[in-house]
Amino acid sequence: MADKAKKEEVQVEDTASQNEVATKPQKEVSLKESNPEKFLEEFNWHNYEEGIDPIDDGKLEEFEKLVADNFVDTLDDEVVEGEVVYITDRDAIIDINAKSEGVVSLNEFRYNPDLKVGDKVEVLIDVREDSTGQLILSHRKARTIKAWDRVNAAHDEGTIVNGYVKCRTKGGMIVDVFGIEAFLPGSQIDVKPIRDYDVYVGKTMEFKVVKINHEFKNVVVSHKALIEADIEEQKKEIIGQLEKGQVLEGVVKNITSYGVFVDLGGVDGLVHITDLSWSRINHPNEIVELDQKLNVVILDFDEDKTRIQLGLKQLNPHPWEALGEELKVGDKVKGKVVVIADYGAFIEVAEGVEGLIHVSEMSWSTHLRSAQDFVNVGDEVEAVILTMDKEERKMSLGIKQMTPDPWTDITTKYPVGSRHKGIVRNFTNFGVFVELEEGIDGLIYISDLSWTKKIKHPSEFTNIGDELEVVVLELDVEGRKLSLGHKQTEENPWDKYEAEFAVGTKHTATIDEVVDKGATIKFNDDIVAFVPSRHLEKEDGSMLKKGDEAEFQIIEFNKEFKKVVASHMVIHKEEEAKIVKEAVKKQTAADAEAKPTLGDANSALQALKDKMDGKK
């Protein structure tokens, strides 16, 4: 209808123009005046009610061109740039050159609390028209679309990005960067150790993208890297001025079991635990605490000056320098046991001044034991200075020197031949060490343990801790050696056995054991005799067996080597010889009475000889 009215109006105007050319100018007559009925019939009542006036084609084309040049084509999936024109309590009004401004919730700008009017932002059309006809935009969705491009660019170019710390997570924090949830490790928050992670939640901070995992879409950011970059500049300035022996003020940054890290204003140095105090300490927290300000001296640094060794105790003179000249070898000193080792104990005789008591200087006993058998950490002890070297700062001490040396009157207390009681302290393969008193030990050789027993090892005869009665056999004062004997406390039973078991004596006994070359018989607890195999033969020619009781004759006795040899065979052989001798005597008497001939006598003697030789 509007187009039709428009055309008619144009036609009217054209007709009027033609009339002007043909005739003189006349007053323009409208369709309303010339033909009221037709005007009413064709009148566009809709345009009239809407207030739309007829516009010519030229103006329409001009309007369409202006719209194309100045307004964007608001597609739903296209990211466009807009300008913040107004900010309310809840929303930001964004002009995207559309027919109307759009609205974005301020919640989407939490990462950018400095948002202000005039800022350029990227948005995506979320709702073209809501229930009120309002254009709803989304900055968050636009950021998500562009996020990975921006994150990759920030990583490649090393640019700084803003991020909003959303919450804590295991090992660090979750940070919103361009709408992507990135991981901020706890170690990358600050150059200093973090004690409370919660203080960072809800903060907007600057970060550097340090790692991207495209496969799993993971992003790692660091705030520490930015701090380190600033510190690096400070570091170069500080390092350039470092000199050995220079005293600087620092702050305790970290405490470990092996030392203390001190922040010198951008440069960290280590004070080793041994450089904290001249006195011995167990842990650095006995001397310093976190965030404590203190002065330290530069001891050393490497060529790059990246590792700086600091000292705290060096600010004070060494305690050895404060030792008086009156302290000398032989003086008695008191101190506290600070360390115990296998080889001895360290005694602090003054602050920072220690002496070593070797375990051999703790007792006059020659049997070295552990230092813990004599002292404990924290004990107060008195000792004698044995050696002292102030240049080397070394001192050796002794405890045993506080008591008299027991060897000084050893000849009076333990003369040769004297009897004593002692405690078995140790075994060797060749004997037993017996302690007569603290510092006085003697050795009993294995051959001096028993007169009668054959001992292969001392443990067969006695035990550690047993009490033994001993006799002093030899004494070497210079060599501090004492030779003892145990068997000498009793009479040698072999002296009486020498007569009791003399060669030729006869004894009744039982075969105890049968061995390869004979058998053994036990006459008593001390005397065990050996019987060779051929001497086990009985009168009927058979051999004695284990458990058989018989009479034996001693054929060998050696007191020195405790050796006894016996024989059963000689018993019946001796009886047989005695019978032959008696027979010869009787035969001789009978022959004298009968006065036999010489031939008869010879025959009789031959018969007896044959019998003795075992001939039938």
Side-chain angles (χ1 to χ4, degrees), residues 236-252:
K236 290 179 181 178
E237 183 178 351
I238 295 172
I239 285 177
Q241 302 173 358
L242 288 182
E243 294 180 3
K244 292 182 182 180
Q246 187 178 10
V247 178
L248 300 174
E249 184 181 60
V251 178
V252 176

Side-chain angles (χ1 to χ4, degrees), residues 67 69 109 157 188 217 228 272 278 343 444 584 609:
V67 170
D69 292 343
F109 292 99
E157 298 171 6
Q188 295 298 314
K217 298 291 183 182
E228 287 178 336
H272 194 269
W278 292 115
Y343 53 84
I444 305 176
V584 170
K609 183 179 179 182

Side-chain angles (χ1 to χ4, degrees), residues 34-210:
S34 63
N35 193 348
E37 293 180 358
K38 187 177 180 181
F39 173 78
L40 291 174
E41 182 181 349
E42 297 179 356
F43 186 75
N44 191 333
W45 293 99
H46 174 74
N47 288 353
Y48 175 77
E49 291 174 355
E50 294 293 330
I52 301 175
D53 295 329
I55 303 175
D56 60 28
D57 290 342
K59 290 184 178 181
L60 282 173
E61 290 177 1
E62 182 181 356
F63 177 75
E64 289 175 356
K65 185 175 182 303
L66 289 171
V67 170
D69 292 343
N70 294 281
F71 294 100
V72 299
D73 186 8
T74 54
L75 299 176
D76 291 349
D77 59 350
E78 184 179 357
V79 176
V80 297
E81 187 179 65
E83 181 181 346
V84 179
V85 295
Y86 188 73
I87 298 177
T88 68
D89 294 339
R90 298 176 57 185
D91 303 314
I93 310 302
I94 311 295
D95 180 10
I96 61 170
N97 286 335
K99 294 180 181 179
S100 62
E101 288 84 5
V103 177
V104 178
S105 172
L106 286 179
N107 288 334
E108 299 190 19
F109 292 99
R110 286 184 302 177
Y111 75 95
N112 184 13
D114 299 326
L115 184 71
K116 61 184 182 298
V117 173
D119 286 353
K120 301 290 185 180
V121 295
E122 292 179 334
V123 293
L124 185 77
I125 297 176
D126 198 12
V127 179
R128 188 173 296 278
E129 288 185 1
D130 63 0
S131 59
T132 63
Q134 180 67 58
L135 177 64
I136 305 300
L137 306 176
S138 174
H139 178 59
R140 179 181 59 80
K141 292 181 180 179
R143 289 179 72 215
T144 302
I145 293 174
K146 294 289 186 178
W148 278 103
D149 292 338
R150 292 181 177 178
V151 166
N152 285 319
H155 178 261
D156 295 340
E157 298 171 6
T159 55
I160 300 173
V161 298
N162 287 331
Y164 175 77
V165 181
K166 297 177 67 175
C167 61
R168 283 188 61 176
T169 188
K170 183 178 180 181
M173 317 287 287
I174 298 298
V175 180
D176 183 344
V177 178
F178 301 136
I180 296 176
E181 287 191 347
F183 176 60
L184 173 63
S187 61
Q188 295 298 314
I189 298 176
D190 202 340
V191 292
K192 298 179 181 179
I194 303 301
R195 297 174 198 154
D196 184 7
Y197 287 82
D198 292 331
V199 297
Y200 294 94
V201 176
K203 284 188 175 182
T204 299
M205 302 167 62
E206 291 183 335
F207 299 98
K208 185 175 181 180
V209 180
V210 294

